[in-house]
Amino acid sequence: MVDSTPLGAAPDPANAATAVVDAQGIVTAWSAGAERLLGYAREEAVGSPVTRLIVSDAALGGRSHVALHGYGATTLLRHRDGRPMPVQVHAYPSVDGEGRAQQLLVVVPSHQLGPDLVSADEAFAQCQLPVMVYDSALRAVRASAGAVRELGLNEQQMGGRRVTDILPPHICRTVEDGMRRVLVTGEAERFHVRGRARPEARERVWSITVSPLTTAAGRVGYLELSALDVTEQHLARERLTLLNDISAQVGSTLDVTRTAQEMADVAVGRLADFITIDLLDSLVRGVEPRHSTTGRVPLRRAAHQSVLPGVPEALVEPGAVDDYPEDSPPVRCLATGRASLHRIGDATVRGWEQADPERAGVVRKFGMHSLLIVPLRARGITLGVAVLVRHRREDPFTEDDLLLAEEIAARAAVAVDNARRYTLERGTALALQRSLLPRRIAAQDAVEAAHRYLPARTRAGLGGDWFDVIPLSGARVALVVGDVVGHGLRASATMGRLRTAVRTLADVDLPADELLTHLDDLVTHLAAEEDSTAEREPDLEDSTGLVATCLYLVYDPVSRRCTAASAGHPPPAVRTSAGSAEFAGVPPGPPLGVGGLPFEPFEWELPPGSLLVLYTDGLLQGTDHDLGRGLALLRRCLERADCRSLEAMCDDLIHSLLPAQPEDDVALLVARTRALDTGRVAAWDLPSDPAAVADARADVLARLEAWHLDEVAFTAELVVSELVTNAIRYGQPPIQLRLIRESALICEVFDGSGTAPHLRRARTFDEGGRGLLLVAQLARRWGTRHHAQGKTIWAEIEPPHRDS
């Protein structure tokens, strides 16, 4: 049995006999335990020499008194009945009440120690755990077998030397500082150090424990230092921490290259000294990746990182293409989908270096010695390859490092694939949305217009914002902005249906409030269809209701009047040529989809050269202000804006009002109004008399001659003749004829009847029914618009193109 009694501590008094011996070897005190053990009464033992009790004093050095200073020694004592008794004696120096030296003897029977006795001294010397004892001057006193093995020095070589004479500098400073603290506080300390115990050993992590060893007087006389190799546990914690950081920090955005860079940033310095991540070129564009393993394989550098500033090891910059030889490890990794570990000097790596001299030069320059080739695979698809290199860290990669790298790549690959799928879906949705928005605004005389559409840069997806500029009859124009509540393909598809509906309703010249009423009915029907579809197909996402806002504005360049109606949309802003800006007082009205509530039109007159600004709420609602503050900011921006260029004005408003990453879609439409002067408009009041048709033709021909439009005189004469004849024959007074000269010649006839004419095919012997058919053939387009007091039939005649 090994004696586990620590240095400077006594056995349990309850199980030991004790006696006190003075400097002359005379027993001066005798305990009841000693009386029970050896049979001598106190009166017999006290005053007699201690040698009287010893059968063999060889273990005591042949002396008549004990001087072991706390260390146990085995000897034979004489029992009172004369038989020898094997015991272990612990001797502790002390002084009596007068300061004279004496010793306390603690005696333990050997049968309590076991048959194969091992002393504390022998147990310490054979201990395989690195343990050392230092005195108060921090000099080595004892060293275990484990310490001798790890430090490469025997106990005699370490005796009297300090930690600074044995361990590397960066380790010994930490250890000695801890030892000094323990000497002062008397409390044990535990800390970790990392390094090599001797130059030829591998780097390891040690858990160091420094414990005080106190004397019987309670003073710290010695220090015990033990070291436990916790390298594997430390590496395991590092690997778990790295994997946790990969999960937490990689994939913070849905951007492919940013996600790859996050993986490189987290892993470099902790697993590798240099990392490159190359992806298949199609994947960067969001397309399903395809690759070829024949010939040199081009891969696009998505990210790289290094422990050296500026990543000097890289051959190409992120975004550029790097070509890999056909038989190189990265190409094999792409083909097989399996990771591999290599040492510089392997046959595979040598072949790669021969086929790629430039890369071989980088390997030699930076002393690269070990690398991992790891595929980025997600959902059974290989997306790219990561190359991890060590050149500053001396330890080469191990199989455990390869497994860790595979796990990191697998987690990062899922994030990269999510970003790829998001890029593809977002691109699809954006293409859909842009296809549903006007690609260009048709030239017309009523307004000059510019527009901007910005999709949201968040994970919420695309919204349902839209705008439109719709030419109307009579040289008028309709300006429209709308916003479907929500994001994603559903919002974009709904937006497209509403924009188509608005164009259809505008084509029949419905007033603004009536148009919104019809649009409201359409949204209600669409919502009902979605609800019924959700009931039939429960796997579909539950409908959250279909709600949209819309502002519909009509501007007439002849009268310079605007008529607008709003379905829950922010009001249009108006900036006059004088520079003042204000918001038109259009009643907001209920959003589309609420149903059953009226929309109120608002009409006002605009000065020539005014600016109309229509927008969606995404332009106003920033992260640091609400809708009200956004309106105030928009007004100030309009008042100080340079309006000479509408394109520049749009850019200025976007830059001034929006953050770099807007949280919502933004649609912006800016229009500068024009006015048609009286010289481009001619009007005649006509009597309800068939004879007035001839006079109307003559007036039209005269005006066309004055406008130098003789080329269309014949066509215009026929169209006016048919329209005026129909108004006189089928309509009611008053009757008015109006010509408008813009990019096309517009002929309009108004009468007081609300009955609209219909185009029909006349039979062979019919005497009528061919008038409107003739108008439809001669005019570029024609139609009817209704008023409260009657209707207007109009036709546009395309003038012939003149060569420049």
Side-chain angles (χ1 to χ4, degrees), residues 528-569:
E529 287 181 5
E530 288 191 356
D531 291 340
S532 62
T533 302
E535 291 177 2
R536 294 193 307 270
E537 302 178 28
D539 291 339
L540 294 179
E541 182 180 355
D542 292 339
S543 174
T544 56
L546 185 58
V547 178
T549 65
C550 183
L551 174 67
Y552 185 80
L553 183 149
V554 177
Y555 172 68
D556 187 343
V558 176
S559 63
R560 290 188 288 105
R561 298 194 67 80
C562 277
T563 303
S566 172
H569 204 85

Side-chain angles (χ1 to χ4, degrees), residues 259-333:
T259 300
Q261 188 63 53
E262 288 170 344
M263 172 189 166
D265 292 343
V266 174
V268 78
R270 301 167 70 176
L271 180 61
D273 299 324
F274 172 55
I275 297 176
T276 65
I277 300 175
D278 297 321
L279 302 176
L280 296 166
D281 188 52
S282 57
L283 182 129
V284 179
R285 303 191 304 270
V287 180
E288 192 75 17
R290 293 185 177 87
H291 61 87
S292 171
T293 56
T294 58
R296 297 183 69 89
V297 176
L299 296 176
R300 190 167 296 277
R301 177 64 49 84
H304 58 215
Q305 190 54 276
S306 171
V307 294
L308 302 179
V311 197
E313 308 98 321
L315 293 177
V316 297
E317 293 298 317
V321 173
D322 196 359
D323 287 330
Y324 289 91
E326 181 177 1
D327 292 329
S328 63
V331 174
R332 292 185 182 180
C333 178

Side-chain angles (χ1 to χ4, degrees), residues 18 63 157 292 341 378 404 465 473 535 630 661 697 712 752:
T18 60
R63 293 170 292 180
Q157 291 173 320
S292 171
L341 185 154
L404 176 61
D465 293 18
S473 64
E535 291 177 2
Q661 299 290 332
R697 287 198 300 264
V712 297

Side-chain angles (χ1 to χ4, degrees), residues 579-711:
S580 62
E582 60 184 10
F583 295 99
V586 181
L592 301 173
V594 175
L597 297 175
F599 300 97
E600 184 178 349
F602 179 77
E603 186 174 349
W604 75 102
E605 185 175 332
L606 285 177
S610 298
L611 288 179
L612 290 169
V613 181
L614 286 71
Y615 48 89
T616 55
D617 58 1
L619 183 70
L620 306 177
Q621 295 177 318
T623 56
D624 58 345
H625 58 263
D626 55 13
L627 181 61
R629 177 169 169 76
L631 289 170
L633 289 173
L634 173 59
R635 182 175 181 176
R636 288 199 295 270
C637 289
L638 287 175
E639 288 178 341
R640 68 169 183 263
D642 183 0
C643 300
R644 287 175 294 182
S645 169
L646 296 187
E647 296 291 339
M649 183 178 181
C650 286
D651 293 335
D652 182 61
L653 291 177
I654 293 295
H655 177 74
S656 301
L657 296 173
L658 293 179
Q661 299 290 332
E663 297 182 354
D664 195 5
D665 288 21
V666 176
L668 173 64
L669 179 61
V670 179
R672 177 181 285 115
T673 61
R674 296 166 175 161
L676 296 180
D677 56 44
T678 55
R680 300 175 64 183
V681 180
W684 299 271
D685 293 324
L686 303 177
S688 184
D689 183 357
V693 175
D695 295 335
R697 287 198 300 264
D699 293 337
V700 166
L701 291 175
R703 180 51 59 103
L704 293 179
E705 184 179 2
W707 285 346
H708 306 288
L709 293 177
D710 298 327
E711 298 92 340

Side-chain angles (χ1 to χ4, degrees), residues 23-87:
Q24 286 73 40
I26 305 300
V27 178
T28 59
W30 192 257
S31 70
E35 183 176 346
R36 289 192 300 270
L37 178 65
L38 297 175
Y40 295 98
R42 181 178 182 279
E43 294 78 11
E44 295 179 274
V46 174
S48 63
V50 70
T51 54
R52 173 189 172 192
L53 306 175
I54 301 173
V55 175
S56 172
D57 61 351
L60 303 181
R63 293 170 292 180
S64 62
H65 65 280
V66 182
L68 298 179
H69 304 294
Y71 287 97
T74 302
T75 188
L76 292 175
L77 297 184
R78 180 179 292 109
H79 193 272
R80 190 174 185 277
D81 59 10
R83 60 185 171 87
M85 178 175 289
V87 296

